Amino acid sequence: MISAAEALRLIVERVPRLGTVTLSVRRAGGHALAGKLTAPADVPHFDNSAMDGYALTAADIREVPATLRVAGETAAGAAPGADLHPGEARRIMTGAPVPAGADTVVPHELTEEGGGPGGVRILRTLPKGANIRRTGSDIQKNSEVFGPGHVIRPFEQGVLASMGIACVTVHRLPSVCLMPTGDELEPGGKPLAPGKIRESNSTALGAMLRTEGCDVADAGIVPDDPALLATAIDAGLRRDMLITIGGVSAGTYDAMPRLFAEAGVERVFHRVNIKPGMPLWFGMKGEVPVFGLPGNPVSAVVTFSQFVRPALRRMAGWRDPAGRLTVRARLDAAIEKKDGKRHYVRGILENGGSGATVRPAGRQDSHAASVLARANCLIILPEEQTRFGLGDIVEVEPL
Ligand code: AMP
Ligand code: MG
């Protein structure tokens, strides 16, 4: 059985990047850039004031208080106006262009009216260049602002707009077929017949897919009937990715691995040394990744978060598709495990008085979806260690 790290490595190696599209910056959020992005202009575009105050030359305020003649006013959006001469100060607003001849801005608070009509008294000396935002000090023209695979968040959208960029070329986001399987599954809305349960995984996983920006094609519940499953698999393979739920463990009706093979899907791995989610199946048909997720609700969500999400991000062109932000926290309760698997324990992470603390959220059964819903993190217990004592430091992945 392969390790989680090896499974992840195989996924990133095998899953291809999708093609590219050009989108308006406003619609490009959540996408990864297809190539590097070079600044078409300096930001700021011109030297401008960081404060409301007076633009002047530092040489004029070596000795303070200094009285200068007020030579007009420049508001944000106005042209720089006439050059400034020695002995003069220009009243200036935040964002307004600094006039030629000025090299410093003194904030309003460090000045007072005085020295006769049309005069201003500067109360403090400031170094040359103070309170001026220099041309190109944030972004230099022709520099690389973002590399290929950089993911566009609202902050990037703002920066792109600040450079006057209207459109960007990004990778497409996957269209994914999501297929719950099992004779016992019923949709919501009508009373449950004996032995049936509510189908719930496609609701949780559908939401996780949409969070990644995917288009979700819901295959509907497919019963454990090989002919119906085969037809549904063929239809699902027409999407960018196929995710089935259930039927990959060792039960009599767990037919998915055989049906994947019959549909021409090459198996890359089956079973990973993890808990929950050990029966996970992954394969490729041409360019289409296929995941067979185990059906237990916690197993399905955990394997999605650890293995499917990196595959989606790889398709979407992310620079680091398997990157995860984890934190280290102190265990508030001892934990013991009895096997050499990597465990993902549903936990509650809190800000303790002296740093982050974490404890299991409740029963760790893989059907206990409510414990997952009350958890805010996964506590990651590495394969080789079985006992984790009170106060031990563990790796935690916020959910
Ligand atoms: P399986 O992986 O098919 O052996 O299913 C494992 C367990 O998960 C069984 O108790 C199933 O009833 C349950 N299960 C499978 N698929 C779903 C689903 N889509 N929603 C809720 N429970 C499911
Ligand atoms: Mg089943």
mmCIF file of all heavy atoms in Angstrom, residues 180-182 184-185 197-202 224 245-249 254 293-297, ligand 1:
data_model
loop_
_atom_site.group_PDB
_atom_site.id
_atom_site.type_symbol
_atom_site.label_atom_id
_atom_site.label_comp_id
_atom_site.label_asym_id
_atom_site.label_seq_id
_atom_site.Cartn_x
_atom_site.Cartn_y
_atom_site.Cartn_z
ATOM 1 N N PRO A 180 -22.530 9.813 -6.941
ATOM 2 C CA PRO A 180 -22.738 8.942 -5.790
ATOM 3 C C PRO A 180 -23.281 7.582 -6.257
ATOM 4 O O PRO A 180 -24.126 7.533 -7.154
ATOM 5 C CB PRO A 180 -23.784 9.681 -4.948
ATOM 6 C CG PRO A 180 -24.382 10.720 -5.820
ATOM 7 C CD PRO A 180 -23.550 10.863 -7.065
ATOM 8 N N THR A 181 -22.761 6.503 -5.676
ATOM 9 C CA THR A 181 -23.220 5.171 -6.070
ATOM 10 C C THR A 181 -23.666 4.385 -4.845
ATOM 11 O O THR A 181 -23.088 4.528 -3.770
ATOM 12 C CB THR A 181 -22.105 4.359 -6.758
ATOM 13 O OG1 THR A 181 -21.139 3.956 -5.765
ATOM 14 C CG2 THR A 181 -21.402 5.160 -7.840
ATOM 15 N N GLY A 182 -24.662 3.566 -4.984
ATOM 16 C CA GLY A 182 -25.100 2.677 -3.903
ATOM 17 C C GLY A 182 -26.600 2.457 -3.906
ATOM 18 O O GLY A 182 -27.367 3.396 -4.054
ATOM 19 N N GLU A 184 -28.409 1.739 -1.464
ATOM 20 C CA GLU A 184 -29.064 2.210 -0.232
ATOM 21 C C GLU A 184 -29.379 3.704 -0.263
ATOM 22 O O GLU A 184 -30.042 4.210 0.628
ATOM 23 C CB GLU A 184 -28.168 1.890 0.978
ATOM 24 C CG GLU A 184 -26.917 2.761 1.141
ATOM 25 C CD GLU A 184 -25.737 2.379 0.253
ATOM 26 O OE1 GLU A 184 -25.952 1.845 -0.856
ATOM 27 O OE2 GLU A 184 -24.586 2.653 0.643
ATOM 28 N N LEU A 185 -28.875 4.412 -1.283
ATOM 29 C CA LEU A 185 -28.942 5.872 -1.249
ATOM 30 C C LEU A 185 -30.260 6.401 -1.802
ATOM 31 O O LEU A 185 -30.745 5.946 -2.838
ATOM 32 C CB LEU A 185 -27.788 6.474 -2.046
ATOM 33 C CG LEU A 185 -26.388 6.022 -1.621
ATOM 34 C CD1 LEU A 185 -25.342 6.640 -2.534
ATOM 35 C CD2 LEU A 185 -26.123 6.385 -0.160
ATOM 36 N N ILE A 197 -30.748 5.082 3.182
ATOM 37 C CA ILE A 197 -30.222 6.260 3.891
ATOM 38 C C ILE A 197 -30.261 7.464 2.952
ATOM 39 O O ILE A 197 -30.377 7.300 1.729
ATOM 40 C CB ILE A 197 -28.763 6.048 4.383
ATOM 41 C CG1 ILE A 197 -27.810 5.862 3.189
ATOM 42 C CG2 ILE A 197 -28.672 4.862 5.348
ATOM 43 C CD1 ILE A 197 -26.351 6.070 3.534
ATOM 44 N N ARG A 198 -30.140 8.624 3.516
ATOM 45 C CA ARG A 198 -30.077 9.836 2.698
ATOM 46 C C ARG A 198 -28.708 9.926 2.021
ATOM 47 O O ARG A 198 -27.679 9.736 2.676
ATOM 48 C CB ARG A 198 -30.241 11.077 3.556
ATOM 49 C CG ARG A 198 -31.543 11.145 4.285
ATOM 50 C CD ARG A 198 -32.634 11.720 3.394
ATOM 51 N NE ARG A 198 -33.866 11.825 4.164
ATOM 52 C CZ ARG A 198 -35.059 11.493 3.691
ATOM 53 N NH1 ARG A 198 -35.195 11.018 2.464
ATOM 54 N NH2 ARG A 198 -36.128 11.631 4.439
ATOM 55 N N GLU A 199 -28.733 10.242 0.755
ATOM 56 C CA GLU A 199 -27.480 10.498 0.049
ATOM 57 C C GLU A 199 -27.015 11.903 0.470
ATOM 58 O O GLU A 199 -27.736 12.877 0.280
ATOM 59 C CB GLU A 199 -27.717 10.435 -1.466
ATOM 60 C CG GLU A 199 -26.444 10.336 -2.287
ATOM 61 C CD GLU A 199 -25.650 11.619 -2.370
ATOM 62 O OE1 GLU A 199 -26.205 12.643 -2.779
ATOM 63 O OE2 GLU A 199 -24.454 11.600 -1.986
ATOM 64 N N SER A 200 -25.835 11.989 1.051
ATOM 65 C CA SER A 200 -25.386 13.291 1.561
ATOM 66 C C SER A 200 -24.029 13.719 1.002
ATOM 67 O O SER A 200 -23.707 14.906 0.978
ATOM 68 C CB SER A 200 -25.296 13.242 3.093
ATOM 69 O OG SER A 200 -24.399 12.219 3.493
ATOM 70 N N ASN A 201 -23.247 12.759 0.531
ATOM 71 C CA ASN A 201 -21.880 13.120 0.126
ATOM 72 C C ASN A 201 -21.841 14.084 -1.057
ATOM 73 O O ASN A 201 -20.952 14.934 -1.130
ATOM 74 C CB ASN A 201 -21.093 11.866 -0.259
ATOM 75 C CG ASN A 201 -20.668 11.081 0.965
ATOM 76 O OD1 ASN A 201 -20.594 11.623 2.053
ATOM 77 N ND2 ASN A 201 -20.420 9.798 0.776
ATOM 78 N N SER A 202 -22.792 13.928 -1.978
ATOM 79 C CA SER A 202 -22.697 14.804 -3.158
ATOM 80 C C SER A 202 -23.022 16.244 -2.781
ATOM 81 O O SER A 202 -22.597 17.181 -3.465
ATOM 82 C CB SER A 202 -23.598 14.316 -4.294
ATOM 83 O OG SER A 202 -24.945 14.435 -3.935
ATOM 84 N N ASP A 224 -26.132 0.157 -7.403
ATOM 85 C CA ASP A 224 -25.035 -0.814 -7.556
ATOM 86 C C ASP A 224 -25.372 -1.821 -8.657
ATOM 87 O O ASP A 224 -25.411 -3.034 -8.428
ATOM 88 C CB ASP A 224 -24.790 -1.546 -6.226
ATOM 89 C CG ASP A 224 -24.172 -0.645 -5.168
ATOM 90 O OD1 ASP A 224 -23.229 0.104 -5.490
ATOM 91 O OD2 ASP A 224 -24.635 -0.688 -4.014
ATOM 92 N N ILE A 245 -18.389 8.117 -5.809
ATOM 93 C CA ILE A 245 -18.408 7.969 -4.350
ATOM 94 C C ILE A 245 -18.985 6.599 -4.022
ATOM 95 O O ILE A 245 -20.092 6.273 -4.444
ATOM 96 C CB ILE A 245 -19.288 9.050 -3.685
ATOM 97 C CG1 ILE A 245 -18.917 10.450 -4.183
ATOM 98 C CG2 ILE A 245 -19.184 8.951 -2.164
ATOM 99 C CD1 ILE A 245 -19.999 11.489 -3.903
ATOM 100 N N GLY A 246 -18.222 5.811 -3.262
ATOM 101 C CA GLY A 246 -18.679 4.486 -2.828
ATOM 102 C C GLY A 246 -18.174 3.385 -3.750
ATOM 103 O O GLY A 246 -17.698 3.636 -4.861
ATOM 104 N N GLY A 247 -18.263 2.154 -3.239
ATOM 105 C CA GLY A 247 -17.984 0.991 -4.074
ATOM 106 C C GLY A 247 -16.529 0.724 -4.394
ATOM 107 O O GLY A 247 -16.216 0.054 -5.376
ATOM 108 N N VAL A 248 -15.599 1.239 -3.569
ATOM 109 C CA VAL A 248 -14.186 0.939 -3.831
ATOM 110 C C VAL A 248 -13.553 0.087 -2.721
ATOM 111 O O VAL A 248 -12.366 -0.199 -2.766
ATOM 112 C CB VAL A 248 -13.322 2.216 -4.031
ATOM 113 C CG1 VAL A 248 -13.604 2.834 -5.378
ATOM 114 C CG2 VAL A 248 -13.532 3.222 -2.913
ATOM 115 N N SER A 249 -14.373 -0.323 -1.721
ATOM 116 C CA SER A 249 -13.776 -1.164 -0.676
ATOM 117 C C SER A 249 -13.969 -2.637 -1.022
ATOM 118 O O SER A 249 -14.099 -2.990 -2.187
ATOM 119 C CB SER A 249 -14.311 -0.798 0.708
ATOM 120 O OG SER A 249 -15.438 0.012 0.647
ATOM 121 N N ASP A 254 -18.938 -3.886 -4.288
ATOM 122 C CA ASP A 254 -17.965 -2.832 -4.559
ATOM 123 C C ASP A 254 -17.289 -3.078 -5.903
ATOM 124 O O ASP A 254 -16.217 -3.655 -5.985
ATOM 125 C CB ASP A 254 -16.928 -2.752 -3.425
ATOM 126 C CG ASP A 254 -17.539 -2.192 -2.145
ATOM 127 O OD1 ASP A 254 -18.577 -1.508 -2.250
ATOM 128 O OD2 ASP A 254 -16.986 -2.427 -1.069
ATOM 129 N N LEU A 293 -13.843 7.586 -4.646
ATOM 130 C CA LEU A 293 -13.739 7.906 -3.224
ATOM 131 C C LEU A 293 -14.523 6.881 -2.415
ATOM 132 O O LEU A 293 -15.577 6.421 -2.852
ATOM 133 C CB LEU A 293 -14.310 9.301 -2.930
ATOM 134 C CG LEU A 293 -13.721 10.491 -3.670
ATOM 135 C CD1 LEU A 293 -14.300 11.788 -3.100
ATOM 136 C CD2 LEU A 293 -12.215 10.516 -3.590
ATOM 137 N N PRO A 294 -14.027 6.543 -1.223
ATOM 138 C CA PRO A 294 -14.816 5.694 -0.339
ATOM 139 C C PRO A 294 -16.083 6.428 0.092
ATOM 140 O O PRO A 294 -16.117 7.654 0.142
ATOM 141 C CB PRO A 294 -13.884 5.441 0.840
ATOM 142 C CG PRO A 294 -12.780 6.417 0.738
ATOM 143 C CD PRO A 294 -12.743 6.945 -0.657
ATOM 144 N N GLY A 295 -17.140 5.660 0.404
ATOM 145 C CA GLY A 295 -18.451 6.270 0.613
ATOM 146 C C GLY A 295 -18.709 6.847 1.986
ATOM 147 O O GLY A 295 -19.598 7.693 2.139
ATOM 148 N N ASN A 296 -17.985 6.373 3.008
ATOM 149 C CA ASN A 296 -18.245 6.929 4.328
ATOM 150 C C ASN A 296 -18.040 8.439 4.274
ATOM 151 O O ASN A 296 -17.023 8.907 3.758
ATOM 152 C CB ASN A 296 -17.313 6.309 5.371
ATOM 153 C CG ASN A 296 -17.911 5.051 5.958
ATOM 154 O OD1 ASN A 296 -19.064 5.052 6.401
ATOM 155 N ND2 ASN A 296 -17.144 3.972 5.950
ATOM 156 N N PRO A 297 -18.994 9.195 4.811
ATOM 157 C CA PRO A 297 -18.944 10.655 4.621
ATOM 158 C C PRO A 297 -17.633 11.305 5.057
ATOM 159 O O PRO A 297 -17.132 12.184 4.352
ATOM 160 C CB PRO A 297 -20.130 11.147 5.457
ATOM 161 C CG PRO A 297 -21.111 10.018 5.377
ATOM 162 C CD PRO A 297 -20.283 8.766 5.404
HETATM 163 P P1 AMP B 1 -19.105 2.114 0.359
HETATM 164 O O1 AMP B 1 -17.853 2.908 0.201
HETATM 165 O O2 AMP B 1 -19.938 2.068 -0.872
HETATM 166 O O3 AMP B 1 -18.803 0.761 0.906
HETATM 167 O O4 AMP B 1 -19.960 2.872 1.453
HETATM 168 C C1 AMP B 1 -19.485 3.011 2.775
HETATM 169 C C2 AMP B 1 -20.533 3.622 3.660
HETATM 170 O O5 AMP B 1 -20.804 4.939 3.209
HETATM 171 C C3 AMP B 1 -21.854 2.907 3.646
HETATM 172 O O6 AMP B 1 -22.399 2.945 4.959
HETATM 173 C C4 AMP B 1 -22.682 3.715 2.679
HETATM 174 O O7 AMP B 1 -24.062 3.605 2.946
HETATM 175 C C5 AMP B 1 -22.184 5.112 2.946
HETATM 176 N N1 AMP B 1 -22.336 5.950 1.749
HETATM 177 C C6 AMP B 1 -21.868 5.649 0.517
HETATM 178 N N2 AMP B 1 -22.127 6.617 -0.356
HETATM 179 C C7 AMP B 1 -22.776 7.582 0.339
HETATM 180 C C8 AMP B 1 -23.322 8.847 -0.014
HETATM 181 N N3 AMP B 1 -23.211 9.332 -1.271
HETATM 182 N N4 AMP B 1 -23.928 9.583 0.961
HETATM 183 C C9 AMP B 1 -24.006 9.099 2.216
HETATM 184 N N5 AMP B 1 -23.508 7.936 2.615
HETATM 185 C C10 AMP B 1 -22.910 7.156 1.687
#
